[in-house]
C-alpha cells in the first residue's frame, strides 16, 4: 500500500473557492445573457462587461460514470426588477440528474420538466437539491450577497441551452416583501 496521503481538492464553504485541484473557470457577463431577462430594454442599460456569475470546476477525467464538481457564484442584483439568474439548462442526456448544495447566500433553484411544470426550492447554506433527470435547472439570487452553490453532475450529461432559449415558465422579481414569483 502507498502510505503517502493525497491532499484532495478543497472547497471553502463560505466563499465557494475551489483549491488544490486542476480548476477550470468560466465567467458569464451581462452581455452573454441576451434574451435571458424578461426586460430587454433594461438589460441593455447595464455595463455589458459586468460579471453575473462564475463557474469553477475541477478539470477531471470524463469517462462514462465519472462526475464533475463545480461551484457557481451568482452575484446579487436585478435587471428590470428581475433577480440575477443563471442561464439554466436541460442536460443534453436528458436522463442524467445532478445534485446542488447551497454554500452561502440566499436564493432559489427553479426546476422545470419537459411538460413545463415548475417548482422552486429555497437555496441557503446547507441546502441539498436532488435534480432528477429530464429537469431543467436555474439558480436565482434573491438575496443581497453572492449566492454560492456546489454542483455534482455526470460528465456525460452535457448542457442543452437551446431547449429553453424562449425562457422558463416562471420568473422571479424583487418586491416589497422580498420576491414575487410570476408565471409566464
Ligand atoms: O452543472 C450545472 O448545472 C451548474 O454547474 C451550471 O452549469 C452553472 O450553475 C451555470 O449555469 P448555466 O450552465 O445554466 O449557465
Ligand atoms: Ni446541470
Amino acid at each position: 500500500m502507498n502510505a503517502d496521503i493525497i491532499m484532495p481538492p478543497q472547497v471553502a464553504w463560505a466563499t465557494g473557492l475551489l483549491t488544490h485541484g486542476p480548476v477550470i473557470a468560466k465567467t458569464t457577463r451581462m452581455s452573454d445573457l441576451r434574451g435571458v431577462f424578461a426586460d430587454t430594454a433594461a438589460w441593455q442599460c447595464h455595463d455589458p462587461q459586468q460579471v453575473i456569475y462564475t463557474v469553477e470546476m475541477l478539470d477531471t477525467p470524463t469517462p462514462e460514470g465519472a462526475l464533475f464538481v463545480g461551484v457557481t457564484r451568482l452575484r446579487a442584483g436585478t435587471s428590470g426588477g428581475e433577480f440575477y439568474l443563471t442561464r439554466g439548462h436541460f442536460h443534453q442526456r436528458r436522463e442524467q440528474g445532478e445534485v446542488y448544495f447551497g454554500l452561502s447566500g440566499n436564493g432559489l433553484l427553479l426546476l422545470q420538466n419537459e411538460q413545463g411544470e415548475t417548482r422552486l426550492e429555497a437555496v441557503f447554506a446547507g441546502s441539498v437539491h436532488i435534480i432528477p433527470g429530464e429537469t431543467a435547472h436555474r439558480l436565482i439570487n434573491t438575496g443581497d450577497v453572492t449566492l454560492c452553490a456546489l454542483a455534482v453532475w455526470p460528465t456525460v450529461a452535457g448542457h442543452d441551452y437551446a431547449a429553453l432559449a424562449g425562457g422558463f415558465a416562471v420568473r422571479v422579481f424583487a418586491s416589497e416583501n422580498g420576491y414575487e414569483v410570476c408565471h409566464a
Side-chain angles (χ1 to χ4, degrees):
M1 182 188 156
N2 187 340
D4 291 344
I5 305 295
I6 295 165
M7 190 55 74
Q10 293 160 42
V11 58
W13 295 125
T15 62
L17 197 69
L18 275 177
T19 51
H20 287 91
V23 173
I24 48 178
K26 183 181 170 203
T27 298
T28 299
R29 299 175 188 277
M30 194 55 104
S31 57
D32 299 315
L33 297 176
R34 172 182 292 277
V36 171
F37 291 97
D39 185 340
T40 303
W43 169 79
Q44 277 171 333
C45 294
H46 290 271
D47 172 3
Q49 290 307 311
Q50 186 188 347
V51 174
I52 306 302
Y53 59 97
T54 60
V55 179
E56 287 177 354
M57 55 183 280
L58 297 174
D59 190 8
T60 39
T62 58
E64 178 96 28
L67 299 169
F68 278 136
V69 174
V71 173
T72 299
R73 280 190 262 169
L74 174 59
R75 305 293 197 273
T78 57
S79 179
E82 187 174 2
F83 285 112
Y84 285 178
L85 36 68
T86 58
R87 182 182 297 279
H89 57 268
F90 280 104
H91 289 154
Q92 208 137 26
R93 287 263 302 262
R94 287 290 196 277
E95 80 285 4
Q96 300 288 322
E98 183 160 357
V99 184
Y100 276 23
F101 304 90
L103 296 179
S104 59
N106 284 283
L108 296 167
L109 174 64
L110 171 58
L111 300 168
Q112 180 168 323
N113 67 17
E114 295 272 17
Q115 289 71 46
E117 296 159 342
T118 57
R119 67 176 196 276
L120 287 163
E121 295 184 357
V123 183
F124 51 90
S127 63
V128 178
H129 309 271
I130 313 289
I131 303 170
E134 334 281 339
T135 306
H137 37 286
R138 159 180 280 176
L139 283 169
I140 302 167
N141 187 347
T142 57
D144 47 20
V145 297
T146 297
L147 177 67
C148 295
L150 182 80
V152 181
W153 70 101
T155 58
V156 297
H159 296 87
D160 176 359
Y161 294 103
L164 274 169
F168 283 61
V170 157
R171 292 187 176 277
V172 183
F173 293 88
S175 78
E176 275 180 15
N177 306 327
Y179 61 83
E180 184 187 356
V181 176
C182 298
H183 295 262

